[in-house]
């Protein structure tokens, strides 16, 4: 089977642009990236269905028919992409409602631990005396449960 | 032998039910969403039924071998094939068991939506018993289980993709329950990472079809031998990349510790148990069935080593218990990848055992983290303290699975690790020995990470006095509410299941040994699907 070069190139362009957009911090740009990526992949399925000019329909004209299975698969993929797009749009809207921003934030806890590491802050480590100091004589050693 | 044929017919009828029943149950649960008790009854009944059926399927697969169903009577390769072998059946059983535990915990917590946004006890009471948030937890959990089972019992690569999407869509909903700012933030990155990995899987599918003209696993198994080695390697790497994102194997694992900890405790628990393991399962299936001739051992061994070490070093640095557990989750995926990389009967068997062990233990630990949050008001180790005195029961519930995860001898974590090490030592080679050393180090550091929680949250003098009410009666109520039997009993049951894995380790290793032998003989799988003539 000779694949259709035009479709292959088109799929490559779509996937390339899709990946570029997907890497963006903006939710909407990333969503557009996912859509382009999805369309590029669907074209790949069409490529896999056989040479161009054939329909995946029995008894249509004289020529041989195209393989209908990849068409069914890309239909499934389209439906799934649609559902996922709906969900991401809802999420982007909610994010906008909450923060008036379209950008994905960093995880605050992750950033906090990273900053501590950069500042070489050992105060929470097990090898730092401060927090786990021995109780003074006369102090209740385990006040946690005293009730 | 009329009886035997009857049993086999019955088994075939049961094969699609682990997918079908949860979906039907989800529909019913959605219909009765306004009636909490009825919804709970529907979900519990569905899961009990699925549990019984999957147990029968495991017994049947172990006794009679592969069970193959052609959906709708369509003969492969046109139709979708469902195949239950020992691996698939075992995975379904374990998945249903932990989902059941998590569901009961969620019911014990209240409405099942399990929200506690502000962190205060009083608001927790309001939200969990009132109309808010949403009665969609039960149906979504059932859809998630259905997607997971689809992936496990499917004999068709595209159908596996559909299963992945089902469980992903359900997981998106569960992760963003309540849609608070924190969860939306975590949800967005999780959703995009998942979509990207699905896209890679989909690209691989299109290429597989272009190269071989089929997506039926059994047919692929024979046809992939005929295509050029380079093409086959490309397909293999694409599939592995897609699955490695889902399984959180090291260079592709960064998303997991950011996404999981923000979700409600039962959601995190079921994610930690099931979602990554689905990726591991897919890796086992493709590596053994589709690419038995190219184990990519060096690549996978390096990935396993780095996953273990980077994951556990991350865990040691954490302050939040849920984040610490998420990092140990990543780290221990390395053990399973190690078994897959070895590709020997012993290695695969130990890997499958480890998957079963790890699903149970990791789910349990996240539920316990939920209990700690309920009792102590936080999961931050710098705020918690003195829990061992406050609640010895909680200490036991944490201590047993934590020791199990760290690999203390009588527990199943130890058995799984020893199995992997034996399998590695049989194979030899410097890289494998380096991995064995790495796995011992990881195990020690896991012990260090979980005992940090122990010394800080349970033993030490509390730094921050717990926020409690002035009223003595109200305080008592809060205490009883935090560790109500409804949440403690399911957790305790899962702890017991984890301990029971040690008790039944002999028979379980028997099953996994036979499962591994079955996996390493793809010809048997092909014969079961197609008979003697492969189209």
């Amino acid at each position: 089977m000779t694949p259709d070069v035009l479709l292959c190139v088109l799929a490559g362009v779509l996937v390339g642009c899709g990946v570029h957009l997907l890497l963006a911090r903006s939710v909407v740009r990333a969503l557009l990236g996912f859509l382009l990526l999805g369309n590029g992949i669907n074209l790949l399925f069409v490529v896999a269905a056989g040479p161009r000019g054939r329909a995946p329909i029995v008894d249509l004209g004289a020529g041989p028919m195209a393989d209908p299975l990849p068409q069914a698969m890309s239909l499934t993929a389209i439906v799934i992409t649609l559902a996922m797009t709906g969900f991401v749009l809802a999420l982007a809207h909610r994010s906008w409602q909450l923060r008036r921003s379209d950008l994905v934030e960093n995880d605050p806890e992750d950033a906090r631990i990273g900053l501590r590491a950069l500042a070489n802050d050992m105060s929470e480590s097990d090898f730092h005396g401060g927090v786990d100091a021995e109780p003074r004589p006369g102090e209740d050693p385990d006040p946690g449960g005293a009730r | 032998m009329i009886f035997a044929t009857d049993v086999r017919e019955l088994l075939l009828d049961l094969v699609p039910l682990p997918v079908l029943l949860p979906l039907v149950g989800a529909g019913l649960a959605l219909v009765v969403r306004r009636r909490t008790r009825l919804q709970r009854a529907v979900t519990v009944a569905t899961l009990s039924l699925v549990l019984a059926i999957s147990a029968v399927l495991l017994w049947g697969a172990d006794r009679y071998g592969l069970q193959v169903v052609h959906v709708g009577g369509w003969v492969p390769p046109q139709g979708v094939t469902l195949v239950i072998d020992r691996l698939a059946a075992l995975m379904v059983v374990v998945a249903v068991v932990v989902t059941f535990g998590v569901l009961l915990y969620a019911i014990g917590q209240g409405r099942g939506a399990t929200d506690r946004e502000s962190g205060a006890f009083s608001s927790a009471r309001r939200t969990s018993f009132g109309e808010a948030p949403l009665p969609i937890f039960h149906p979504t959990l059932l859809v998630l289980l259905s997607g997971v089972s689809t992936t496990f019992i499917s004999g068709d690569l595209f159908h596996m993709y559909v299963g992945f999407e089902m469980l992903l869509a359900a997981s998106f909903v569960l992760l963003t329950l309540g849609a608070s700012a924190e969860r939306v933030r975590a949800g967005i990155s999780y959703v995009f990472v998942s979509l990207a990995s699905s896209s890679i899987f989909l690209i691989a599918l299109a290429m597989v079809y272009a190269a071989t003209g089929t997506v039926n696993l059994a047919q692929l198994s024979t046809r992939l031998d005929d295509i050029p080695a380079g093409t086959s390697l490309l397909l293999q790497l694409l599939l592995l990349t897609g699955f490695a994102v889902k399984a959180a194997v090291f260079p592709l694992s960064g998303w997991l510790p950011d996404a999981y900890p923000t979700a409600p405790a039962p959601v995190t628990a079921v994610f930690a148990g099931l979602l990554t393991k689905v990726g591991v399962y897919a890796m086992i299936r493709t590596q053994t069935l589709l690419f038995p001739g190219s184990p990519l051992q060096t690549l996978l061994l390096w990935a396993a080593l780095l996953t273990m070490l980077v994951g556990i070093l991350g865990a040691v640095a954490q302050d939040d218990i849920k984040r610490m557990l998420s990092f140990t989750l990543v780290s221990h995926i390395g053990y399973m990848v190690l078994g897959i990389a070895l590709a020997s009967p012993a290695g695969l068997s130990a890997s499958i055992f480890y998957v079963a062990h790890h699903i149970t233990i990791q789910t349990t630990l996240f539920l316990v983290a939920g209990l700690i949050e309920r009792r102590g008001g936080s999961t931050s180790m710098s705020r918690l303290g003195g829990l061992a005195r406050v609640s010895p029961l909680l200490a036991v519930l944490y201590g047993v699975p934590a020791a199990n995860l760290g690999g203390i001898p009588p527990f199943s974590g130890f058995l799984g690790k020893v199995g992997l090490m034996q399998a590695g030592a049989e194979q030899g080679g410097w890289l494998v020995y380096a991995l064995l050393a790495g796995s011992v180090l990881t195990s020690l550091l896991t012990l260090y990470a979980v005992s940090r929680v122990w010394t800080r949250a349970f033993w030490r003098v509390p730094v921050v006095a717990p926020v409690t009410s002035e009223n003595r009666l109200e305080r008592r109520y809060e205490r009883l509410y935090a560790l109500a039997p409804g949440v403690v009993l399911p957790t305790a049951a899962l702890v017991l299941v984890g301990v029971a894995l040690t008790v039944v380790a002999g028979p379980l290793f028997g099953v996994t040994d036979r499962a591994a032998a079955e996996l390493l003989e793809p010809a048997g799988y092909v014969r079961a699907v197609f008979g003697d003539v492969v189209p």
Side-chain angles (χ1 to χ4, degrees), chain B residues 1 33 51 58 89 100 211 229 232 283 301 312 343 378-379 388 392 398 404 413 418 450 473 487 506 514 520:
Chain B
M1 290 309 284
R33 66 188 178 281
L51 182 61
L58 176 60
F100 211 160
S232 166
M283 283 168 84
L301 284 177
I312 202 62
S378 162
T379 50
Y398 174 76
N404 201 334
V418 166
V450 293
L473 247 172
V487 284
R514 289 191 290 278
L520 288 172

Side-chain angles (χ1 to χ4, degrees), chain B residues 173-503:
Chain B
V173 175
L174 289 176
L175 192 73
T176 52
L177 272 185
S180 63
E182 179 66 357
R183 284 184 196 156
V184 168
R185 179 199 61 72
I188 288 175
S189 37
Y190 173 74
V191 166
F192 276 114
V193 170
S194 308
L195 291 179
S197 83
S198 298
S199 301
I200 296 173
F201 190 8
L202 203 56
I203 292 176
L205 274 166
M207 292 195 175
V208 164
Y209 197 87
T212 62
T214 182
V215 282
N216 185 293
L217 286 178
Q219 207 175 10
L220 275 177
S221 167
T222 57
R223 285 198 186 174
L224 278 170
D225 293 339
D226 302 335
I227 65 174
T231 316
S232 166
L233 183 66
L234 172 73
L235 298 178
Q236 185 182 9
L237 287 176
L238 269 174
L239 286 172
L240 275 183
T241 313
F243 298 148
V245 178
K246 298 218 159 58
V249 176
F250 164 59
L252 309 167
S253 62
W255 57 273
L256 191 146
D258 277 1
Y260 281 13
T262 54
V267 171
T268 322
V270 77
F271 281 18
L274 295 184
L275 298 196
T276 50
K277 308 311 179 298
V278 176
V280 172
Y281 166 85
M283 283 168 84
I284 295 181
R285 184 63 80 198
T286 47
Q287 283 294 93
T288 55
L289 184 58
L290 302 187
F291 307 100
S294 128
L296 292 179
Q297 197 173 43
T298 317
L299 176 77
L300 285 178
L301 284 177
W302 276 110
L305 184 63
L306 291 173
T307 309
M308 284 182 196
L309 292 179
V310 174
I312 202 62
L313 289 177
V316 168
Q318 299 307 314
D319 175 55
D320 185 280
I321 296 177
K322 284 181 171 182
R323 281 180 64 86
M324 186 280 286
L325 287 175
S326 306
F327 273 99
T328 60
L329 168 62
V330 171
S331 164
H332 285 233
I333 296 292
Y335 286 100
M336 300 159 215
V337 178
L338 165 61
I340 300 174
L342 292 175
S344 63
L348 276 175
S349 167
S351 196
I352 298 168
F353 183 88
Y354 206 87
V355 173
H357 146 80
H358 198 249
I359 290 181
T360 320
I361 296 307
Q362 200 75 44
T363 308
T364 316
L365 278 172
F366 270 106
L367 287 185
V368 175
L371 290 182
I372 291 177
E373 190 174 10
R374 287 169 73 86
R375 191 64 190 87
S378 162
T379 50
S380 164
M381 277 186 251
S382 52
R383 296 169 59 92
L384 290 166
L387 281 176
R389 172 76 81 79
V390 173
S391 168
L393 175 66
L394 187 55
V396 173
L397 288 181
Y398 174 76
V400 172
N404 201 334
L405 186 75
I408 298 288
F411 292 121
S412 54
F414 168 75
L415 299 172
K417 284 173 185 122
V418 166
L420 282 169
M421 285 178 192
Q422 270 179 343
E426 270 173 27
Q427 202 144 346
W430 70 268
L431 187 54
V432 175
Y433 279 111
L435 242 105
L436 297 194
S439 72
V440 173
L441 184 64
T442 308
S443 167
L444 282 176
L445 285 175
T446 308
L447 207 54
Y448 170 61
V450 293
S451 49
R452 259 184 97 219
V453 176
W454 181 262
T455 50
R456 294 187 157 226
F458 287 93
W459 265 359
R460 72 161 173 188
V461 180
V463 245
V464 185
V467 187
T468 45
S469 167
E470 293 293 307
N471 187 326
R472 208 175 65 83
L473 247 172
E474 214 169 280
R475 214 161 54 215
R476 190 179 147 74
Y477 179 72
E478 268 168 12
R479 203 158 66 232
L480 287 177
Y481 168 76
L483 293 183
V487 284
V488 169
L489 287 180
T491 317
L494 278 181
V495 171
L496 281 181
V497 170
V499 174
L501 281 181
T502 307
V503 180

Side-chain angles (χ1 to χ4, degrees), chain A residues 4-23:
Chain A
D4 190 330
V5 177
L6 186 66
L7 278 183
C8 286
V9 171
L10 194 56
V13 170
L14 283 174
V15 170
C17 296
V19 169
H20 175 75
L21 282 174
L22 198 58
L23 295 174

Side-chain angles (χ1 to χ4, degrees), chain A residues 129-143:
Chain A
V131 183
D132 284 325
E134 288 288 312
R136 282 183 299 280
E139 192 184 347
D140 180 3
D142 183 11

